[in-house]
Amino acid sequence: MKKLIFSIMLIAAGVVSLTASTPAYLDESRPVDDRIEDILSRLTTREKVAMLHAQSKFSSAGVPRLGIPSFWTTDGPHGIRPEVLWDEWEQAGWTNDSCVAFPALTCLAASWNPEIALLYGTSIGEEARYRGKDILLGPGVNIYRTPLNGRNFEYMGEDPYLASIMVVPYIKGVQSNGVAACVKHYALNNHEVNRHTTNAIVDDRTLYEIYLPAFKAAVMDGGAWSIMGSYNLYKDQHACHNKFLLNDILKGEWGFDGVVVSDWGGTHDTPEAIANGLDMEFGSWTNGLSNGKSNAYDNYYLADPYLDLIGEGKVGTKELDDKVRRILRLAFRTTLDRNRPHGSLCSPEHIAAARRIGEEGIVLLKNTRGVLPIDPERVGKVVVVGENAVKMMTVGGGSSSLKVKYELSPLDGIRNRLAGKADVVYVRGYVGDPSGEYNGVVTGQNLKDDRSAEELIAEAVREASDADCVIFIGGLNKSAHQDCEDSDREGLELPYGQDDVIRALAKANPNLVVINISGNAVAMPWAGDVAAILQGWYLGTEAGNSIAAVLTGDVNPSGKLPMTFPAKLDDVAVHKLGLYPGTPRGDGSKTVDCNYDEGIFVGYRWAEKNDIKPLFPFGHGLSYTDFKYGKAKVDKSTLTHEGKVTVTVPVTNVGAREGSEVVQLYIADIKSSVPRPLKELKGFRKVRLAPSETAEVSFEITPEALSYFDADTHSWVCEPGAFEALVGSSSADIRGKVRFSYDDSVASR
Ligand code: GLC
């Protein structure tokens, strides 16, 4: 007994002595800020600087001496990138790093469903966590300014309000796993040509009304723990160390307390990187460990050059400590959080999520004579035509390229769904890019086909002529000058002669369905000749099942376009005004000045201002049922300074099957002292309705929704006067309007 008491006393003493000497930073009962200060006080200057830059292609140093882990980053916004070698882009050749590819973010945006965005972020965050990643390099929210931008597929469309609402749940979902979202590319990275040298010239009003809102929402509503600077310049400073974007706006006006990460190779200057808000430098030039230094990463701008400036007394350590504090705060949110979940990889739940996101994002653009949905019980012969019916799309496109557990092609999805019901015949139709390897990831597909275009079309027409239904699956792909990073498309047209194939098929069979797989709008000169059109997006691992479910009506399509589909390129502001891709400065620098002279008139804002009829308008998407809107009403006729007006509209499913409708709210300023768009999206709600069911859909409007940004006063202004709330099924399908006024002289009651 005495021994027991003695040993208990020893343990107690031990605990006491442990508690007494436990460093503050290990004491979880203490506030994080105290723990950060304790660590900071223990770090040498060299240890602090080492935390500011990469130590390998995708990781940065921790502090081994204090047990502070390295940070591991990973691409990308649609899935977790396969492992690469320590200091190379090449694959590491692991066998356990396959992932689920979720649909591209344009598809997520097209769902117009914040619940889906939360499902997306939670799922991809679980995959990142399981793979031991601490910073997910995504989502991207750059605004869609030209349909030629190679990276639009990674972003959330042309409207700042839609992107602002959809990005927040994605971030919260990712970060619920103890993984930081790294929202990119901040800011004004709106095309890929000259992406490292383009100097964006934008007025403040346009910046604040169009290009910043999604990033502001990411920070202030989403609580993003990191932001990635973009490659381009703004006000002649690289965005990765830009005083205006990082110090004044992000960290100043928005109070961002997280970490600014450079894009890979986006850092160009040590003094600017020190002073202008960059916290972690990745991907700057390094030829690995072969340049005679113990570690080439010590050559980074925020590495030895920074240490040298400190050592020479040319800079202090105030900025250094601020950067390290932010990095340590990120550590306590991720690597030092002992309670964060463990994640999961390639789970049935993630596969189901990928399928559901795809099903909710697919947009039914056209459907005549009820050609869709296909009835599996009644269709006999179905002919599937096109390279995109079989080509793997989870590979390629740049840094978002993935190595997937599997990818179910549209053809296989259709074959699986119609198995035992219909005779599904596949013909190539056209040959696009038969390559099957990207950055070391090999698809294993042999898409080589030496037949001529004429032979391919003849075969397709032959098979189509006696089919009950013909499904052409084409569009773009992830090759250079298609939907791909570091290059832009060279025109709005479909590549590889697809228009000829579609026209020939339309002549051969009136029951032609075209599925466009792309991350961008494309020209569709044959749109009037085909019975139905689906916008398919890049749908990831479950592409085939998502498409088959919509084609056969297992799922009623509910997607809406997050960008305008122009009839021709000249209908787009930047092309009409000759602003793309900008003008080389010609002063011996490589700078290309890109003027955003179209200002706030981007997308539908431009089309409506200039009375241009798009091929398919922003917010457009059909259903297999129909929705009837009742009369829109407001609960009061005058909105006061701190008040709100509630707009309500009854929406009824008047069709024979269940379906979801995205009810959209636009606001028009009837009379303003400044030029304003005819209307702007300021609310949306996706409602699921059974046949004959009615939902009273309501929106709360505050002065914020009525305001424009006044550059002179650097503030948001809501002018007194008349406004109109417009509700509808798309920007061009307005089903109800109701007026109200704003009176700032009346204090709210
Ligand atoms: C790329 C991309 C960025 C990506 C990073 C790491 O150049 O611009 O989106 O996360 O480098 O691959």
Side-chain angles (χ1 to χ4, degrees):
M1 185 58 179
K2 278 184 182 172
K3 265 194 172 179
L4 177 62
I5 292 168
F6 183 64
S7 51
I8 289 172
M9 284 168 67
L10 272 182
I11 291 169
V15 166
V16 168
S17 68
L18 179 64
T19 309
S21 66
T22 303
Y25 72 93
L26 291 179
D27 182 348
E28 293 181 337
S29 67
R30 298 171 70 110
V32 166
D33 284 350
D34 289 357
R35 299 169 71 187
I36 288 172
E37 292 310 312
D38 181 55
I39 295 172
L40 205 60
S41 68
R42 297 165 183 268
L43 294 175
T44 64
T45 300
R46 181 169 291 278
E47 286 172 330
K48 291 179 184 177
V49 169
M51 297 175 80
L52 308 187
H53 61 83
Q55 67 176 0
S56 75
K57 191 59 80 183
F58 283 96
S59 74
S60 63
V63 188
R65 178 174 65 85
L66 297 177
I68 296 167
S70 301
F71 280 103
W72 282 90
T73 71
T74 183
D75 288 316
H78 308 147
I80 308 310
R81 182 174 184 154
E83 296 298 330
V84 297
L85 295 173
W86 179 259
D87 186 46
E88 303 298 338
W89 292 110
E90 296 316 307
Q91 304 300 312
W94 289 17
T95 54
N96 64 345
D97 57 350
S98 300
C99 70
V100 166
F102 299 95
L105 292 191
T106 35
C107 180
L108 172 60
S111 75
W112 291 59
N113 188 342
E115 291 172 17
I116 291 291
L118 179 62
L119 172 66
Y120 196 128
T122 304
S123 305
I124 195 172
E126 288 168 345
E127 299 247 325
R129 180 72 191 95
Y130 186 86
R131 284 274 305 282
K133 308 303 180 184
D134 310 303
I135 303 173
L136 175 71
L137 303 173
V141 289
N142 292 97
I143 290 297
Y144 184 106
R145 181 174 179 245
T146 165
L148 303 189
N149 177 21
R151 294 189 83 171
N152 279 332
F153 73 99
E154 295 184 60
Y155 304 150
M156 297 191 187
E158 74 185 32
D159 184 85
Y161 181 84
L162 175 62
S164 299
I165 297 297
M166 295 300 288
V167 73
V168 168
Y170 179 110
I171 293 166
K172 290 181 180 292
V174 169
Q175 297 186 163
S176 68
N177 290 284
V179 174
C182 186
V183 186
K184 66 188 187 183
H185 303 86
Y186 182 71
L188 299 163
N189 184 182
N190 301 108
H191 57 261
E192 290 295 289
V193 169
N194 310 317
R195 65 175 176 162
H196 295 272
T197 57
T198 292
N199 178 47
I201 300 172
V202 199
D203 65 277
D204 281 1
R205 181 178 177 208
T206 301
L207 182 69
Y208 277 79
E209 287 193 22
I210 302 295
Y211 296 102
L212 291 183
F215 290 102
K216 180 178 180 182
V219 169
M220 302 191 78
D221 303 331
W225 294 341
S226 63
I227 293 282
M228 182 188 291
S230 57
Y231 284 131
N232 55 280
L233 298 88
Y234 169 64
K235 292 185 187 282
D236 273 320
Q237 266 186 2
H238 279 93
C240 287
H241 31 80
N242 189 291
K243 172 187 174 303
F244 311 96
L245 292 174
L246 300 179
N247 286 353
D248 299 350
I249 298 171
L250 179 68
K251 296 181 175 179
E253 293 176 22
W254 300 345
F256 177 62
D257 71 353
V259 169
V260 173
V261 171
S262 77
D263 200 342
W264 268 236
T267 310
H268 301 271
D269 182 277
T270 295
E272 281 193 12
I274 295 169
N276 294 348
L278 179 62
D279 300 308
M280 291 177 105
E281 174 187 358
F282 280 93
S284 293
W285 168 85
T286 164
N287 61 358
L289 305 180
S290 61
N291 68 346
K293 277 240 178 196
S294 61
N295 178 359
Y297 293 98
D298 293 337
N299 298 334
Y300 272 35
Y301 294 95
L302 285 180
D304 284 354
Y306 192 6
L307 273 173
D308 294 347
L309 289 175
I310 293 170
E312 293 154 12
K314 291 179 180 168
V315 294
T317 57
K318 175 171 161 286
E319 294 86 357
L320 174 61
D321 286 348
D322 177 64
K323 299 176 199 295
V324 173
R325 282 192 183 94
R326 291 172 178 272
I327 293 168
L328 291 173
R329 187 174 299 120
L330 180 61
F332 280 109
R333 289 168 166 163
T334 56
T335 55
L336 289 177
D337 174 3
R338 297 194 306 175
N339 302 313
R340 61 177 175 164
H342 298 286
S344 53
L345 188 68
C346 299
S347 63
E349 292 78 8
H350 293 170
I351 288 165
R355 175 173 176 165
R356 184 170 167 215
I357 296 160
E359 289 168 349
E360 283 238 7
I362 289 171
V363 182
L364 178 59
L365 295 176
K366 177 182 181 183
N367 189 23
T368 51
R369 293 183 284 107
V371 166
L372 289 179
I374 297 167
D375 181 348
E377 304 305 328
R378 292 176 53 192
V379 74
K381 177 180 178 183
V382 173
V383 174
V384 177
V385 185
E387 184 172 282
N388 283 3
V390 298
K391 183 177 175 63
M392 277 185 77
M393 294 291 191
T394 53
V395 175
S399 57
S400 62
S401 177
L402 298 171
K403 178 168 81 172
V404 291
K405 198 83 177 171
Y406 70 89
E407 177 181 351
L408 188 72
S409 71
L411 176 61
D412 286 343
I414 292 166
R415 281 195 164 132
N416 293 349
R417 181 62 183 84
L418 297 182
K421 311 270 187 192
D423 173 23
V424 178
V425 173
Y426 173 70
V427 288
R428 184 68 172 267
Y430 70 92
V431 176
D433 181 347
S435 66
E437 184 270 338
Y438 181 83
N439 193 19
V441 176
V442 179
T443 63
Q445 292 188 303
N446 176 7
L447 296 176
K448 193 166 168 30
D449 190 325
D450 297 328
R451 289 178 292 169
S452 70
E454 291 71 23
E455 289 171 307
L456 290 162
I457 291 176
E459 177 194 45
V461 166
R462 201 167 43 248
E463 285 298 346
S465 53
D466 65 345
D468 294 308
C469 178
V470 180
I471 305 169
F472 176 88
I473 305 181
L476 306 178
N477 58 37
K478 298 289 194 67
S479 307
H481 300 294
Q482 301 276 327
D483 285 319
C484 184
E485 176 178 344
D486 203 20
S487 72
D488 285 343
R489 291 163 66 199
E490 287 156 355
L492 193 62
E493 297 72 25
L494 284 177
Y496 314 127
Q498 293 176 70
D499 291 343
D500 296 338
V501 185
I502 294 168
R503 285 195 184 95
L505 290 172
K507 287 197 183 88
N509 192 315
N511 295 336
L512 173 58
V513 177
V514 172
I515 303 180
N516 178 47
I517 305 289
S518 74
N520 252 315
V522 298
M524 299 181 181
W526 34 261
D529 307 327
V530 304
I533 305 171
L534 280 170
Q535 174 57 26
W537 312 119
Y538 296 111
L539 296 166
T541 284
E542 279 283 292
N545 283 331
S546 300
I547 283 180
V550 169
L551 279 173
T552 59
D554 295 345
V555 166
N556 188 353
S558 61
K560 299 280 186 179
L561 289 180
M563 77 282 283
T564 303
F565 271 45
K568 58 187 187 310
L569 201 54
D570 218 29
D571 289 349
V572 179
V574 296
H575 300 285
K576 180 70 176 174
L577 302 176
L579 302 170
Y580 168 89
T583 310
R585 193 172 287 179
D587 60 356
S589 75
K590 295 179 183 167
T591 306
V592 177
D593 288 315
C594 187
N595 290 290
Y596 284 47
D597 292 350
E598 80 280 13
I600 59 175
F601 296 99
V602 173
Y604 68 90
R605 291 169 167 83
W606 171 264
E608 294 181 353
K609 176 174 187 275
N610 295 283
D611 198 20
I612 297 170
K613 185 174 180 344
L615 175 63
F616 293 108
F618 172 80
H620 171 74
L622 302 176
S623 169
Y624 293 147
T625 187
D626 290 307
F627 299 97
K628 180 173 174 295
Y629 286 55
K631 186 170 174 45
K633 297 190 177 75
V634 284
D635 65 343
K636 57 175 79 75
S637 59
T638 302
L639 173 60
T640 56
H641 179 55
E642 289 169 357
K644 62 177 187 293
V645 160
T646 301
V647 177
T648 304
V649 59
V651 179
T652 305
N653 178 349
V654 294
R657 59 167 295 165
E658 186 175 61
S660 294
E661 167 71 330
V662 178
V663 182
Q664 298 159 45
L665 169 76
Y666 296 85
I667 294 290
D669 186 345
I670 300 306
K671 185 174 177 305
S672 68
S673 63
V674 296
R676 298 195 74 175
L678 289 186
K679 64 177 184 288
E680 297 178 277
L681 182 72
K682 294 295 180 183
F684 61 88
R685 193 95 69 255
K686 193 165 201 175
V687 291
R688 188 173 182 81
L689 297 171
S692 305
E693 183 181 3
T694 296
E696 292 290 326
V697 181
S698 60
F699 303 93
E700 290 191 349
I701 299 172
T702 63
E704 181 189 359
L706 312 182
S707 301
Y708 67 86
F709 187 79
D710 181 339
D712 297 336
T713 59
H714 201 76
S715 65
W716 291 89
V717 171
C718 181
E719 286 183 322
F723 288 84
E724 188 165 66
L726 303 93
V727 291
S729 188
S730 87
S731 61
D733 182 2
I734 296 301
R735 306 286 185 88
K737 300 177 183 180
V738 58
R739 290 213 172 179
F740 62 95
S741 65
Y742 173 64
D743 181 351
D744 64 351
S745 65
V746 178
S748 60
R749 291 178 186 73

